[in-house]
Amino acid sequence: MLTDAPPPSPRASLSARILGGVVSLLLGAVFGALGTIVHMVTISILGWDAPIGLVLALISLALLLLGLRLSFESRVYSVLGAAAAIGVVALFVLPSQGGSILITATGEGPVWLYGSVIEALLVVVWPRFRRTPARSARPGSTA
């Protein structure tokens, strides 16, 4: 009997799942930290300061979380990456020992803070649409 359905994927071992979770946490933390660092970078275009750092930070975080979501069957990896990124961004909102703040309350700061949270929530809660294989009418086959 021929079917168009793909064979079931073998379940990953416990150590592979744990390693995937740790890597997702680390990637989320790194992307959250790097996005926080570069979100204030601007370039001047005809007298207008374009927030290129903010745009690149939001795009890179979205691509990381989408990659985690699409690469694995489970949402756990994208949730871990999103939690780490949001945690690092929230940590950098607080003033440091010296009183400096990496995410200010003006300009690009709130956009990065809330934008990263909204991106993470959208990627994590977006439903997974599964394609059902189309039945083809083959000559000589009975349905």
Side-chain angles (χ1 to χ4, degrees):
M1 180 171 144
L2 297 174
T3 61
D4 292 331
S9 60
R11 187 170 172 103
S13 68
L14 179 62
S15 61
R17 287 183 282 159
I18 290 173
L19 180 64
V22 169
V23 168
S24 297
L25 281 170
L26 289 174
L27 284 173
V30 166
F31 275 66
L34 289 176
T36 300
I37 292 168
V38 303
H39 84 278
M40 295 290 288
V41 174
T42 59
I43 58 172
S44 182
I45 300 174
L46 300 174
W48 176 66
D49 291 334
I52 190 72
L54 176 65
V55 171
L56 291 176
L58 287 171
I59 289 173
S60 64
L61 181 62
L63 290 176
L64 168 73
L65 297 176
L66 279 171
L68 290 173
R69 177 68 195 275
L70 295 174
S71 295
F72 300 102
E73 288 288 322
S74 175
R75 293 177 196 238
V76 172
Y77 302 104
S78 59
V79 168
L80 289 173
I86 291 171
V88 168
V89 170
L91 180 69
F92 286 141
V93 169
L94 303 173
S96 68
Q97 293 280 344
S100 63
I101 300 173
L102 289 176
I103 301 176
T104 61
T106 59
E108 293 86 6
V111 177
W112 168 241
L113 176 64
Y114 298 121
S116 60
V117 172
I118 291 169
E119 277 183 354
L121 288 175
L122 282 175
V123 170
V124 169
V125 301
W126 195 266
R128 179 179 291 267
F129 298 106
R130 297 194 188 266
R131 285 188 182 177
T132 57
R135 293 184 184 184
S136 61
R138 293 184 207 140
S141 67
T142 58

